[in-house]
Amino acid sequence: DADVTQTPRNRITKTGKRIMLECSQTKGHDRMYWYRQDPGLGLRLIYYSFDVKDINKGEISDGYSVSRQAQAKFSLSLESAIPNQTALYFCATSDSAGQAFFGQGTRLTVV
Amino acid sequence: AQSVTQLDSQVPVFEEAPVELRCNYSSSVSVYLFWYVQYPNQGLQLLLKYLSGSTLVKGINGFEAEFNKSQTSFHLRKPSVHISDTAEYFCAVRLTGGSYIPTFGRGTSLIVHP
């Protein structure tokens, strides 16, 4: 089983719909992250969490929210999806040295 | 603040040729450095990392990188590439103290031609 698991792997949704992307990890790491990947822009940080009670905005948090339900679970929500949120989304954890461990990604298309 | 610059967005190369993917960072304090690889339709996985010690770091699949503190660089090299090395490569940096947030470059697409 993967150390970091994302569900769903692919999703097509309509503009204005609320959608949740889920992430769970078995690494035992406190630090978890959500990134989005767009061609030519690399990975941009949406939100991060250093423990269950700690949630922080990243560089592109507008239009997104997160919930850290447990050390192992960190979900990302799009409150009202819009087409420019079409992207590849990655959940990741990191160890104390900053090495990141990524999920397989969720390809989200907003039509 | 730290930042990472990958100087080439795309690097085409022929099979069995050597390759270098460039990465520079800006930070006034000590850093940890990483290279990750992303194969099509997959997540990122670690190629190699520099935390301390020898500045020449060897990773998986025959890749290596050299940390150059004076030039704030961490270039990735491979002496002979294979078709299977075609992928996106990301450089990342993390400060040794304070925030643990890894910062990523924009990525370099390595395209290996037969």
Side-chain angles (χ1 to χ4, degrees):
Chain A
D1 287 341
D3 294 325
V4 182
T5 303
Q6 292 182 233
T7 56
R9 292 292 312 279
N10 290 281
R11 179 73 181 266
I12 300 173
T13 192
K14 293 184 178 180
T15 298
K17 292 291 187 181
R18 185 179 189 274
I19 182 170
M20 179 182 288
L21 309 183
E22 298 187 344
C23 176
S24 63
Q25 54 115 344
T26 58
K27 299 294 292 182
H29 293 156
D30 288 324
R31 304 174 187 93
M32 297 188 73
Y33 311 83
W34 275 103
Y35 292 91
R36 68 176 276 176
Q37 183 179 22
D38 299 277
L41 298 179
L43 294 167
R44 293 184 291 168
L45 183 64
I46 306 172
Y47 270 95
Y48 62 99
S49 169
F50 285 172
D51 66 39
V52 175
K53 297 180 180 179
D54 179 75
I55 303 288
N56 303 278
K57 292 182 178 181
E59 60 182 295
I60 55 162
S61 59
D62 287 349
Y64 301 95
S65 63
V66 291
S67 174
R68 185 80 183 267
Q69 300 95 326
Q71 186 203 40
K73 296 185 182 296
F74 191 36
S75 60
L76 175 73
S77 293
L78 284 67
E79 300 302 324
S80 179
I82 56 177
N84 76 1
Q85 291 178 311
T86 292
L88 186 55
Y89 290 85
F90 285 104
C91 174
T93 72
S94 71
D95 63 15
S96 58
Q99 179 180 337
F101 299 83
F102 285 85
Q104 292 287 76
T106 295
R107 188 168 296 281
L108 177 66
T109 303
V110 183
V111 298
Chain B
Q2 62 204 49
S3 69
V4 180
T5 302
Q6 291 185 242
L7 296 164
D8 305 297
S9 60
Q10 200 171 84
V11 173
V13 64
F14 286 107
E15 193 173 20
E16 298 184 6
V19 70
E20 178 180 82
L21 306 184
R22 296 180 292 170
C23 173
N24 286 87
Y25 67 93
S26 64
S27 174
S28 58
V29 299
S30 297
V31 295
Y32 296 147
L33 296 156
F34 308 84
W35 275 99
Y36 296 86
V37 59
Q38 182 184 28
Y39 297 107
N41 300 313
Q42 294 188 25
L44 283 72
Q45 57 185 278
L46 184 73
L47 262 183
L48 48 79
K49 60 185 175 184
Y50 171 79
L51 303 183
S52 66
S54 173
T55 57
L56 182 62
V57 179
K58 294 189 182 297
I60 62 172
N61 300 338
F63 283 93
E64 64 180 33
E66 185 157 20
F67 169 52
N68 188 318
K69 187 175 181 180
S70 62
Q71 297 185 7
T72 60
S73 67
F74 191 54
H75 300 333
L76 181 70
R77 302 185 182 98
K78 186 169 182 178
S80 176
V81 294
H82 302 286
I83 295 287
S84 59
D85 292 323
T86 295
E88 193 82 12
Y89 292 80
F90 291 92
C91 181
V93 63
R94 201 224 89 177
L95 301 180
T96 58
S99 168
Y100 292 104
I101 304 171
T103 300
F104 290 84
R106 292 193 172 191
T108 297
S109 178
L110 176 63
I111 302 169
V112 181
H113 297 288

